[in-house]
Amino acid sequence: QVQLVESGGGLVQAGGSLKLSCAASGRTFSSYAVAWFRQGPGKERDFVAIISGIGSNVRYADFAVGRFTISRDNAKNTVYLQMNSLKPEDTAVYYCAADRAYYTTAYDYWGSGTQVTVSS
């Protein structure tokens, strides 16, 4: 069983930065790939980025390339999402999700989300 708690969201001006954290419980955290998703107002949930269990593989959505960086610290059971050059369209609730499989579309565990609001 893995429990995920996101933090680090908030209100930021366009062009600013935020660093989200996803803290996980459990002693086998390094066995899980962790992904970030986001859901904007009135929109479907979109994939943002994913990192493999030991951090050797990462993948980003096109809109995140060059602006967002996913990383993890397994000693702290935490995955991060550094977001730079934020735009109003990045406004969304950001969720982290974990699964033992890196290539999956169905994640076993989800956090409850953290709100990111980017003002113009």
Side-chain angles (χ1 to χ4, degrees), residues 1-2 28-34 51-53 72 98-100 109:
Q1 189 79 5
V2 175
T28 60
F29 182 60
S30 61
S31 299
Y32 289 84
V34 176
I51 187 166
S52 60
R72 68 189 298 158
D99 195 271
R100 289 189 178 274
Y109 304 103

Side-chain angles (χ1 to χ4, degrees), residues 88-109:
E89 52 263 44
D90 294 318
T91 295
V93 178
Y94 284 71
Y95 301 88
C96 61
D99 195 271
R100 289 189 178 274
Y102 181 74
Y103 294 103
T104 182
T105 57
Y107 291 81
D108 286 339
Y109 304 103

Side-chain angles (χ1 to χ4, degrees), residues 69-80:
T69 302
I70 190 170
S71 62
R72 68 189 298 158
D73 184 344
N74 285 339
K76 296 181 178 180
N77 275 15
T78 302
V79 170
Y80 304 97

Side-chain angles (χ1 to χ4, degrees), residues 44-66:
E44 295 185 350
R45 187 164 56 192
D46 289 330
F47 168 80
V48 177
I50 187 172
I51 187 166
S52 60
I54 59 172
S56 54
N57 292 308
V58 296
R59 180 165 56 91
Y60 296 93
D62 288 345
F63 64 79
V65 173

